[in-house]
């Protein structure tokens, strides 16, 4: 008796088969086996029932799975990933394999213990989760396929496209660029006194009178000239710094970028490999929850190795929409301090290991001393105060493993809070007088928000509820590498708008609701409602479809095409060169001469339509209808040269062979009639 277990990844399947031993065959679906068709929308109102077709490898994969199904007499177990995509893949497998009473199992880690527990508790497929995945896929298809052609026509760019998440990600970068461009720097001033090896800064707050910054440089120079001060107070205290939470998908991608220099897609690909090797738990998660078993392992490891473990396990507040069945990204076994088959895998595993163990270590503690000083003489009639603040790490706690939060940019000032710093303010006695060695003016400029990096863009997308963290890597690749809407630049690989992205935003902005920051967040909440049975599939998609139709109608009236076709007034679109030997060319968006569509073509002139090209009428007349013939030529391998009738739209389909550059009018040809066998 043999049972067939179907997973998504071949490498994960090999490990599971080794763990389970005889009695089990493990095969992989290699991701999705069916999807919406690439040609055509594949879904229509009002039911929005998807028309699924096999993926490129799907048909071959299913044929192999059916052969294995026939060989395994103890049935099939569906063990695809535990997210909605995995649930949908399991449902598609059930359909194509004809499973009636399916057995579905899920597990958070590829370990013998987790697998045995899952096999002991099979369940049915969660159809609500499948509906939620299907609704997301269809909503994305509606937006992409309904809007992209219209946008491409308006921009005159054949490959321009829109997407529910990718377009909003581009808007975030565009908004940040506009904010930076519109920022006006304001110079403001402070002063600093030096006493041997420590310093005190002028406290401008008592004199600001409601303003944010002190802008009077002359007064700041007078303050910097102060030398005699009186000690008003000197207080000692302690502050603490708590460790960051375990990784979820978003913070894992941020840490991979900020600490290791990996782009988000690379981080997720490496994490996928570690998961398949059984080294870490599932990497697509939106929670920071650790299982009781994981906590027991962390506590045991910490005590055995002398780490400052907390007395009571730490927990973190979870987002309202977090999927509670999932767990944080963590090592499968805490005692395993190194894992991975190459250097990058080992680096990411080490980051995950330190984050997981560190989250259960004690707070770091700092000794803080604050001295308040006052100038002994008024400055231009005003009382001036200074503050000397010293801070020293006195107990490392979680910082024994890592000095900072790896998901934060170490150069970001906001991320430095709680870091080690020192200004050795001595113990001072209230009422004593001190003489400063030197004084200096501190000039500062207000700064605009920094440009996004991929890590900080992901952080904001997560904060705003835009898209799913598991897809952020693919979104970055789409907008930067595939579509060239956004560019990377500089050592920190900051993001800025490319010209193509600016044009896209100019066309989309204020015309489509899906570009609003709250649209995707609300849609994600409604998708979660479908998954929990609180929202309706058809109602949600019907609302999306109706809104798009209304917006497209208004858009086509409001926004004229950039380059109208001289023949039919539809938009001309730039078609990219197919290879190095060919050139880009402009064609009507309704170009389809074989189906009675427009046949206008033009050469490319530095990104704009140039002189007309394409079919040219000759002086030779068709022997069938008398209309001029067109010389049609395709050069290169598989090319042709013949003369076709210009009256093909009116039904004359005669053509004539090319005979030394002229039509052989004695040998007319008609299209071969289709037979029943052909169709």
């Amino acid at each position: 008796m043999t049972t067939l277990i179907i997973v998504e990844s071949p490498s994960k399947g090999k490990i599971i088969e080794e763990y389970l031993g005889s009695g089990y065959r493990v095969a992989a679906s290699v991701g999705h086996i069916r999807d919406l068709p690439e040609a055509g929308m594949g879904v229509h109102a009002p039911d929005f029932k998807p028309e699924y077709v096999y993926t490129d490898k799907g048909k071959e994969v299913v044929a192999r799975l059916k052969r294995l199904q026939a060989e395994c007499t103890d049935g099939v177990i569906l063990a695809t990933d535990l997210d909605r995509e995995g649930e949908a893949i399991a449902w598609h497998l059930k359909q194509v394999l004809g499973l009636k009473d399916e057995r579905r199992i899920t597990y958070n880690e590829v370990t013998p213990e987790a697998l045995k527990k899952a096999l002991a508790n099979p369940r049915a497929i969660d159809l609500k989760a499948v509906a939620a995945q299907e609704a997301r896929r269809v909503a994305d298809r509606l937006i992409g396929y309904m809007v992209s052609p219209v946008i491409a026509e308006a921009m005159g760019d054949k490959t321009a496209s829109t997407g529910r998440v990718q377009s909003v990600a581009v808007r975030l970068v565009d908004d940040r660029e506009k904010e930076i461009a519109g920022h006006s720097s304001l110079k403001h001033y402070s002063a600093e006194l030096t006493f041997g090896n420590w310093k005190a800064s002028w406290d401008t707050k008592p004199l600001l009178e409601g303003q944010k910054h002190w802008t009077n440089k002359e007064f700041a120079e007078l303050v910097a000239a102060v030398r005699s001060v009186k000690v008003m107070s000197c207080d000692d205290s302690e502050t603490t710094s708590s460790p960051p939470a375990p990784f979820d998908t978003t913070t894992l991608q941020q840490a991979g970028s900020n600490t290791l220099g990996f782009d988000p897609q690379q981080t997720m690909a490496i994490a996928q490999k570690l998961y398949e090797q059984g080294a870490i738990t599932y990497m697509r998660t939106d929670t920071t929850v650790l299982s009781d078993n994981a906590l027991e392992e962390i506590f045991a490891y910490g005590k055995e190795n002398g780490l400052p473990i907390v007395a009571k396990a730490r927990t973190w507040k979870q987002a309202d929409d977090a999927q509670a069945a999932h767990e944080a990204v963590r090592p499968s076994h805490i005692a395993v301090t190194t894992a991975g088959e190459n250097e990058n895998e080992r680096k990411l595993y080490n980051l995950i290991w330190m984050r997981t163990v560190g989250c259960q270590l004690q707070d770091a503690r700092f000794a803080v001393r604050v001295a308040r000083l006052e100038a002994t003489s008024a400055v231009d009639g005003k009382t001036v105060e200074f503050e000397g603040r010293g801070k020293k790490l006195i107990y490392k706690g979680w910082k024994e493993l890592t000095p900072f939060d790896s998901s934060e940019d170490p150069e970001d000032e906001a991320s430095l809070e709680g870091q080690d710093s020192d200004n050795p303010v001595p113990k001072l006695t209230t009422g004593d007088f001190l003489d400063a060695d030197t004084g200096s003016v501190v000039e500062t400029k207000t700064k605009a928000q920094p440009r996004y990096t991929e890590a900080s863009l992901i952080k904001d997308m997560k904060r705003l509820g835009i898209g799913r963290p598991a897809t952020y890597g693919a979104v970055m690749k789409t907008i930067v590498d595939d579509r060239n809407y956004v560019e990377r630049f500089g050592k920190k690989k900051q993001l800025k708008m490319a010209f193509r992205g600016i044009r896209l935003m100019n066309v989309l902005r204020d015309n489509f609701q899906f570009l609003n920051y709250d649209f995707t967040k609300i849609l994600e909440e409604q998708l979660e409602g479908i998954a929990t049975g609180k929202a309706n599939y058809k109602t949600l998609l019907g609302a999306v479809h109706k809104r798009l139709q209304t917006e497209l109608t208004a858009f086509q009236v409001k926004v004229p095409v950039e380059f109208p076709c001289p023949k039919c007034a539809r938009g001309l679109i730039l078609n990219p060169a197919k290879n190095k030997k060919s050139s880009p060319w402009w064609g009507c968006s309704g170009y389809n001469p074989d189906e009675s569509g427009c046949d206008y073509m033009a050469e490319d002139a530095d990104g704009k339509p140039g002189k007309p090209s394409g079919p040219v009428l000759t002086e030779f007349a068709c022997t069938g209808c008398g209309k001029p013939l067109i010389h049609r030529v395709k050069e290169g391998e598989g090319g042709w040269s013949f003369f076709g009738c210009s009256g093909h739209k009116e039904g004359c389909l005669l053509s004539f062979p090319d005979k030394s550059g002229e039509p052989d009018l004695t040998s007319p040809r008609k299209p071969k009639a289709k037979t029943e066998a052909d169709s």
Side-chain angles (χ1 to χ4, degrees):
M1 300 283 283
T2 305
T3 301
L4 174 62
I5 297 180
I6 303 177
V7 297
E8 291 183 41
S9 162
S11 54
K12 182 168 68 173
K14 290 178 182 177
I15 292 175
I16 291 175
E17 197 164 74
E18 289 176 8
Y19 284 159
L20 297 181
S22 61
Y24 293 96
R25 291 284 301 276
V26 184
S29 71
V30 197
H32 283 273
I33 56 165
R34 297 196 305 185
D35 197 2
L36 295 171
E38 290 187 11
M41 188 175 295
V43 61
H44 304 284
D47 293 332
F48 302 103
K49 184 178 180 181
E51 300 169 4
Y52 288 117
V53 298
Y54 283 117
T55 60
D56 289 342
K57 295 181 179 179
K59 198 168 187 177
E60 177 185 335
V61 168
V62 170
R64 176 171 52 83
L65 292 176
K66 285 184 175 180
R67 289 195 297 270
L68 290 171
Q69 181 184 15
E71 296 171 7
C72 297
T73 56
D74 204 20
V76 176
I77 293 177
L78 303 173
T80 48
D81 292 348
L82 70 162
D83 56 8
R84 289 179 193 158
E85 294 295 320
E87 206 70 22
I89 292 171
W91 179 81
H92 283 282
L93 287 168
K94 174 186 176 180
Q95 302 300 309
V96 299
L97 297 178
L99 304 178
K100 293 183 179 180
D101 297 316
E102 77 276 5
R103 288 179 288 171
R104 165 85 167 117
I105 65 169
T106 56
Y107 41 90
N108 192 49
E109 56 189 13
V110 184
T111 60
E113 299 80 11
L115 291 167
K116 289 175 183 176
K117 184 178 179 180
L119 287 169
N121 297 279
R123 60 168 173 82
I125 290 171
D126 183 348
L127 295 179
K128 292 176 182 177
V130 175
Q133 184 276 341
E134 199 166 69
R136 174 185 280 115
R137 186 74 182 94
V138 171
D140 288 348
R141 176 57 63 101
L142 292 175
I143 292 171
Y145 272 60
M146 290 176 70
V147 180
S148 293
V150 178
I151 294 300
E153 185 174 351
M155 291 175 60
D157 185 342
K158 187 174 184 179
T159 58
S161 69
T162 60
R164 177 177 61 90
V165 177
Q166 71 177 56
S167 296
V168 184
V170 175
R171 180 188 168 176
L172 275 167
V173 179
D174 193 41
D175 284 352
R176 179 62 58 87
E177 287 288 303
K178 286 179 166 58
E179 181 183 342
I180 293 170
H183 177 76
S184 179
S185 291
L186 175 69
K187 288 184 180 180
H188 55 97
Y189 304 92
S190 183
E192 195 172 66
L193 301 182
T194 301
F195 303 84
N197 63 346
W198 64 280
K199 296 180 179 182
S201 299
W202 169 33
D203 183 3
T204 61
K205 291 178 183 177
L207 302 180
L208 285 176
E209 297 179 351
Q211 297 182 12
K212 288 185 176 181
H213 305 288
W214 186 269
T215 57
N216 186 330
K217 184 179 181 181
E218 289 75 17
F219 188 87
E221 290 173 340
L222 295 176
V223 175
V226 168
R227 291 295 177 268
S228 179
V229 295
K230 181 181 179 180
V231 178
M232 306 305 292
S233 65
C234 185
D235 300 316
D236 291 332
S237 63
E238 277 193 12
T239 61
T240 60
S241 170
S242 299
F247 284 131
D248 60 16
T249 300
T250 305
T251 52
L252 177 64
Q253 291 175 80
Q254 291 171 221
S257 178
N258 287 326
T259 306
L260 302 177
F262 299 157
D263 64 53
Q265 194 164 39
Q266 184 181 13
T267 296
M268 292 304 289
I270 295 171
Q272 176 81 39
K273 293 293 185 184
L274 290 171
Y275 169 64
E276 291 170 1
Q277 292 164 24
I280 64 171
T281 55
Y282 195 53
M283 64 286 161
R284 294 187 179 92
T285 177
D286 54 5
T287 75
T288 55
V289 171
L290 291 173
S291 66
D292 292 341
N293 181 60
L295 289 169
E296 288 173 6
E297 287 194 27
I298 294 171
F299 276 61
Y301 180 90
K303 291 174 181 177
E304 185 177 335
N305 291 274
L307 295 177
I309 291 288
V310 291
K312 182 181 178 182
R314 294 181 189 273
T315 58
W316 285 263
K317 188 177 184 302
Q318 305 304 307
D320 292 338
D321 58 350
Q323 298 184 44
H326 292 188
E327 193 177 352
V329 184
R330 64 165 177 85
S332 298
H333 298 292
I334 303 301
V336 179
T337 57
T338 302
E341 296 177 349
N342 56 50
E343 185 179 0
N344 284 347
E345 290 175 9
R346 287 187 286 273
K347 284 180 178 179
L348 188 62
Y349 180 84
N350 183 56
L351 210 61
I352 295 168
W353 187 91
M354 287 194 299
R355 181 83 164 210
T356 305
V357 175
C359 80
Q360 297 301 321
L361 299 187
Q362 295 177 24
D363 289 350
R365 298 203 308 272
F366 296 85
V368 178
R369 177 171 290 163
V370 179
R372 297 290 299 182
L373 314 173
E374 185 179 289
T376 55
S377 300
V379 178
D380 198 20
K382 293 180 171 61
T383 300
V384 173
E385 298 177 6
F386 298 86
E387 182 178 277
R389 178 177 291 269
K391 177 182 172 185
K392 185 177 182 180
L393 180 67
I394 58 175
Y395 182 74
K396 287 186 175 181
W398 66 275
K399 288 177 176 288
E400 286 195 17
L401 289 184
T402 177
F404 59 88
D405 181 347
S406 58
S407 63
E408 296 291 343
D409 185 344
E411 295 185 26
D412 183 357
E413 291 180 6
S415 73
L416 296 179
E417 184 179 356
Q419 303 306 309
D420 307 352
S421 62
D422 199 12
N423 180 29
V425 178
K427 186 63 178 175
L428 303 174
T429 302
T430 301
D432 282 358
F433 292 88
L434 303 175
D435 289 326
D437 298 329
T438 61
S440 59
V441 173
V442 178
E443 180 180 300
T444 312
K445 290 182 180 180
T446 57
K447 296 180 180 179
Q449 289 258 55
R451 282 190 168 93
Y452 279 116
T453 61
E454 291 186 49
S456 60
L457 180 57
I458 282 173
K459 184 177 180 180
D460 265 8
M461 289 174 70
K462 170 71 172 179
R463 177 179 62 84
L464 294 168
I466 298 169
R468 293 174 298 148
T471 66
Y472 287 163
V475 170
M476 295 300 119
K477 182 177 184 299
T478 297
I479 66 174
V480 179
D481 301 318
D482 298 343
R483 300 297 183 188
N484 192 32
Y485 296 142
V486 174
E487 298 174 343
R488 300 184 188 94
F489 76 100
K491 292 182 179 179
K492 293 186 67 177
K493 296 182 180 179
Q494 290 180 303
L495 302 177
K496 66 177 181 179
M497 293 295 290
F499 177 68
R500 194 167 188 241
I502 294 171
R503 292 184 66 217
L504 177 71
M505 286 298 103
N506 289 341
V507 173
L508 284 179
R509 195 180 285 275
D510 301 324
N511 292 314
F512 294 95
Q513 191 182 53
F514 71 84
L515 203 67
N516 297 340
Y517 292 143
D518 60 352
F519 176 88
T520 294
K521 181 177 182 180
I522 293 171
L523 183 62
E524 292 292 340
E525 291 171 354
Q526 292 171 326
L527 290 169
E528 181 63 24
I530 292 175
T532 57
K534 297 177 182 178
N536 181 269
Y537 175 92
K538 290 183 183 178
T539 301
L540 172 59
L541 294 175
V544 172
H545 185 261
K546 184 177 180 180
R547 165 61 63 176
L548 287 173
Q549 284 183 316
T550 302
E551 290 175 338
L552 284 167
T553 300
F555 176 83
Q556 289 172 311
V557 173
K558 177 182 176 182
V559 182
V561 296
E562 188 167 3
F563 302 111
C565 174
K567 279 192 173 184
C568 70
R570 288 195 64 177
L572 294 180
I573 291 179
L574 181 62
N575 294 267
K578 293 183 178 180
N579 51 57
K580 293 181 180 180
K581 294 183 180 180
S582 62
S583 301
W585 57 280
W586 291 82
C588 179
S589 57
Y591 185 83
N592 191 359
D594 295 330
E595 299 293 338
S596 300
C598 185
D599 60 0
Y600 185 80
M601 300 167 63
E603 296 176 356
D604 177 51
D606 296 325
K608 295 182 179 180
K611 63 180 182 179
S613 63
V616 178
L617 299 179
T618 68
E619 70 273 22
F620 303 105
C622 174
T623 59
C625 67
K627 290 183 180 290
L629 296 179
I630 297 172
H631 191 189
R632 299 190 180 275
V633 181
K634 178 183 177 182
E635 298 179 351
E637 186 178 352
W640 60 72
S641 177
F642 68 92
F643 290 79
C645 181
S646 61
H648 61 278
K649 293 181 182 179
E650 288 76 27
C652 184
L653 304 178
L654 288 181
S655 64
F656 304 86
D658 181 355
K659 186 177 181 180
S660 302
E662 295 186 0
D664 183 358
L665 300 177
T666 62
S667 304
R669 296 182 300 198
K670 288 185 178 181
K672 190 177 179 181
K674 284 187 177 182
T675 65
E676 190 173 327
D678 293 328
S679 56

